[in-house]
Amino acid sequence: MPEQRMLVNGKLVDAEGGRVFDNVNPATEEVIGVTADGSRADMERAVAAARAAFDTSDWARDHAGRKKALLQLQAAIEAEVEELRAELVAEVGCPVITTYGPQLDAPLKEALRWPADQIEQFPWSRALGEKDAFGMGYPSAREVWKEPVGVVGVVTPWNFPFEIALNKLGPILAMGNTCVLKPAPDTPWNTTRLGRLIAEHTDIPPGVVNIVPSSDHLVGEVLSTSPLVDMIAFTGSTVTGRRIMAAAAATVKPTFLELGGKSVNLVLDDADFAQAIPSAAMVCMHAGQGCAMPTRLLVPNSRYDEAIELARAAFEGVKYGDPTDPSVLQGPQVSKRQQERVLGYIETGRAEGARVVLGGGVPKDLDRGYFVEPTLFADVTPGMTIAQEEIFGPVLVVIGFEDDDDAVRIANDSVYGLSGVITSSDLDRAKSVARRIRTGTVGLNGGLWYGADAPFGGYKQSGIGRQCGIEGLEIFTETKTVGWPA
Ligand code: NAD
């Protein structure tokens, strides 16, 4: 059964006034149930609970207790993993095949376990050595202590909601913080389920994790403005990220932002095109709703037509439709609004002179669900809107380049800097190009960088800070330097 209730101060509760909002299956357009519709007052109660839990419990210093609690949550999720899988497919519209990878199984394997294991190894203090800094005639011993930041406000999006929630909760809790998590209104149940599992199956103290869904995006703004919240950890669009930063400025809150992307799939002229180009159709996976997807295919002008034909064949082979069908790669966009947004970008592409090679509309064979055809654009120039803005749909734009320098220039001609893919028959050449691309992650020759131990985040307007890895633990800590007479 889906969990409709919020988690506030250790209790599963309804929203103020019993208000609820609909959860819609984007593949069928059916309302599949409701969720508690948290108000500002509900959010403020949750913030107060997180503050009290941080200030009055020993959670921040109980390393063994935190490890135990994270592993209890891990076991509780594993016990319900098949229900969770079906729920994700229903509310996110993600193809079930994606749940065996990044949507569920991949993060579940390590997003809690890895940070739990790091608690013991983390360098909570480091000695600086003795120093008589001001010539006082006696040296001081000095140490640097790492401590939790305090109360973290967490805001997550709808595209990989469980993956992102888990990769935030793991490090936040491992480092000894408390938090209030607001899931995206399109996909609340996987996160409210986490709330129930925390309440019923773990020793996580009341108030350490609070979960407040809401249909009103601005209820999340309480987290940015409240003086009781010490930090914001946000994943979502760059537009919202800017707004959160501005709102958090009043209380000088650190903002950890994982934002949008417009990453390249850069195929160098020596690459095996028959192998490299077809994989470009993976931008259709989960209807293109992934921040790190390489949605700009850069190919040498000398082999442009060959690349387009290979890409066309791959796009023709993309199976879209019912996300519960295990052979489907592409499900619906998450909402009518997102479907319209993607179709709007396709129209803009046409209007600016790009050529639709394939797709470009709503599939005629599907009479319900927010689907968009796999869409391939050729004759795209770097300045076009579809080459610059994040479409978040099953849309690939193909841009030609002259040589490696030109390819690097085009790749970096973006306000974003999240990820990228480079293919060459010469790994050293691929690496040297990778060093010149200003993004937070790069996959070379089909290699993957993903993992709970792998820092993920963006350069430029793709964000601030890194999720996962040692950097993703450190970001949830404060630094205290202490000294005493040696
Ligand atoms: P969004 O920015 O519209 O919403 C994200 C979350 O922010 C939702 O929970 C929403 O309710 C909340 N929100 C909106 N306004 C807010 C405000 N003023 N204060 C506090 N919270 C607010 O993004 P989305 O459409 O849900 O997700 C898609 C976007 O997320 C894409 O741009 C994608 O690239 C990005 N994304 C980035 C990463 C990454 O790690 N870099 C991962 C996944 C998605």
Side-chain angles (χ1 to χ4, degrees):
M1 282 297 289
E3 178 54 63
Q4 301 177 0
R5 293 167 295 177
M6 317 185 294
L7 175 65
V8 178
N9 205 17
K11 298 216 162 46
L12 297 165
V13 294
D14 293 328
E16 184 186 29
R19 291 188 321 152
V20 293
F21 65 101
D22 289 343
N23 195 348
V24 175
N25 179 328
T28 64
E29 304 183 28
E30 285 163 3
V31 175
I32 51 177
V34 296
T35 314
D37 196 358
S39 65
R40 289 183 79 92
D42 290 321
M43 186 58 91
E44 279 159 7
R45 264 193 293 282
V47 167
R51 183 79 260 162
F54 186 79
D55 291 344
T56 62
S57 80
D58 67 348
W59 175 252
R61 290 160 296 279
D62 181 9
H63 292 196
R66 297 207 303 274
K67 177 167 183 176
K68 183 171 163 223
L70 281 169
L71 297 180
Q72 287 170 331
L73 180 56
Q74 173 76 27
I77 300 168
E78 283 173 7
E80 296 187 0
V81 69
E82 294 314 318
E83 289 91 334
L84 174 56
R85 189 183 311 282
E87 186 171 271
L88 280 167
V89 174
E91 68 174 347
V92 181
C94 56
V96 67
I97 195 171
T98 65
T99 68
Y100 297 103
Q103 198 67 257
L104 172 56
D105 287 355
L108 184 55
K109 208 158 55 180
E110 45 183 23
L112 298 180
R113 272 204 203 103
W114 189 81
D117 286 342
Q118 293 298 314
I119 296 172
E120 282 153 14
Q121 299 164 35
F122 190 77
W124 293 103
S125 71
R126 96 175 174 265
L128 287 179
E130 294 176 6
K131 186 177 265 190
D132 180 5
F134 299 151
M136 311 270 283
Y138 64 91
S140 287
R142 298 162 309 145
E143 280 186 2
V144 178
W145 295 348
K146 290 289 183 184
E147 299 180 345
V149 175
V151 177
V152 184
V154 186
V155 179
T156 54
W158 44 259
N159 60 337
F160 286 84
F162 179 79
E163 196 267 0
I164 293 165
L166 218 60
N167 274 314
K168 295 227 190 291
L169 285 179
I172 285 170
L173 299 179
M175 293 295 99
N177 301 279
T178 66
C179 66
V180 180
L181 196 173
K182 193 206 79 67
D186 288 306
T187 57
W189 284 350
N190 61 90
T191 315
T192 49
R193 175 186 292 268
L194 279 175
R196 176 175 58 74
L197 296 178
I198 287 169
E200 294 180 350
H201 296 281
T202 77
D203 297 332
I204 293 176
V208 165
V209 180
N210 304 271
I211 290 172
V212 182
S214 177
S215 64
D216 179 357
H217 295 303
L218 293 188
V219 165
E221 198 142 279
V222 171
L223 297 171
S224 309
T225 54
S226 171
L228 302 181
V229 176
D230 296 297
M231 173 181 179
I232 295 289
F234 169 74
T235 297
S237 63
T238 295
V239 172
T240 304
R242 280 191 205 105
R243 183 167 174 154
I244 285 178
M245 259 184 116
T251 48
V252 197
K253 243 185 226 51
T255 48
F256 165 28
L257 306 174
E258 299 285 356
L259 308 176
K262 190 76 185 179
S263 302
V264 294
N265 182 347
L266 172 45
V267 183
L268 296 176
D269 59 4
D270 64 352
D272 177 350
F273 272 37
Q275 234 198 339
I277 302 287
S279 66
M282 288 304 282
V283 299
C284 298
M285 187 193 68
H286 189 20
Q289 300 171 119
C291 54
M293 286 183 171
T295 52
R296 290 185 290 157
L297 176 62
L298 306 194
V299 296
N301 285 326
S302 59
R303 300 182 71 180
Y304 192 85
D305 294 342
E306 179 190 352
I308 293 291
E309 282 320 303
L310 285 164
R312 176 213 290 273
F315 266 64
E316 279 169 349
V318 170
K319 186 161 176 198
Y320 58 83
D322 177 4
T324 64
D325 176 345
S327 68
V328 157
L329 182 74
Q330 179 192 325
Q333 310 311 123
V334 77
S335 62
K336 178 100 192 133
R337 183 174 151 262
Q338 282 301 116
Q339 183 197 35
E340 285 168 354
R341 188 168 171 269
V342 174
L343 292 171
Y345 272 118
I346 292 171
E347 281 322 301
T348 303
R350 280 198 178 100
E352 291 183 3
R355 171 165 59 94
V356 175
V357 177
L358 198 84
V362 172
K364 299 189 181 37
D365 53 329
L366 297 172
D367 55 5
R368 51 185 201 157
Y370 310 123
F371 291 92
V372 174
E373 288 176 307
T375 299
L376 177 65
F377 269 110
D379 303 341
V380 178
T381 54
M384 286 182 183
T385 305
I386 55 170
Q388 288 292 330
E389 296 190 14
E390 184 180 49
I391 299 174
F392 236 51
V395 181
L396 182 72
V397 304
V398 189
I399 303 172
F401 62 82
E402 279 306 311
D403 52 22
D404 289 10
D405 286 348
D406 195 33
V408 168
R409 185 187 59 74
I410 295 168
N412 288 334
D413 177 14
S414 172
V415 296
Y416 296 113
L418 192 56
S419 191
V421 168
I422 300 172
T423 309
S424 166
S425 61
D426 175 353
L427 181 61
D428 287 336
R429 183 173 169 208
K431 282 186 182 170
S432 84
V433 172
R435 287 188 200 285
R436 298 168 65 196
I437 305 270
R438 302 199 59 232
T439 66
T441 51
V442 189
L444 303 178
N445 291 347
L448 296 177
W449 41 260
Y450 184 86
D453 56 349
F456 171 62
Y459 286 32
K460 301 194 268 182
Q461 294 185 34
S462 286
I464 300 174
R466 293 293 178 272
Q467 181 167 289
C468 297
I470 299 296
E471 289 82 351
L473 298 175
E474 282 176 344
I475 200 156
F476 293 116
T477 63
E478 269 290 8
T479 301
K480 181 177 283 173
T481 308
V482 292
W484 61 91

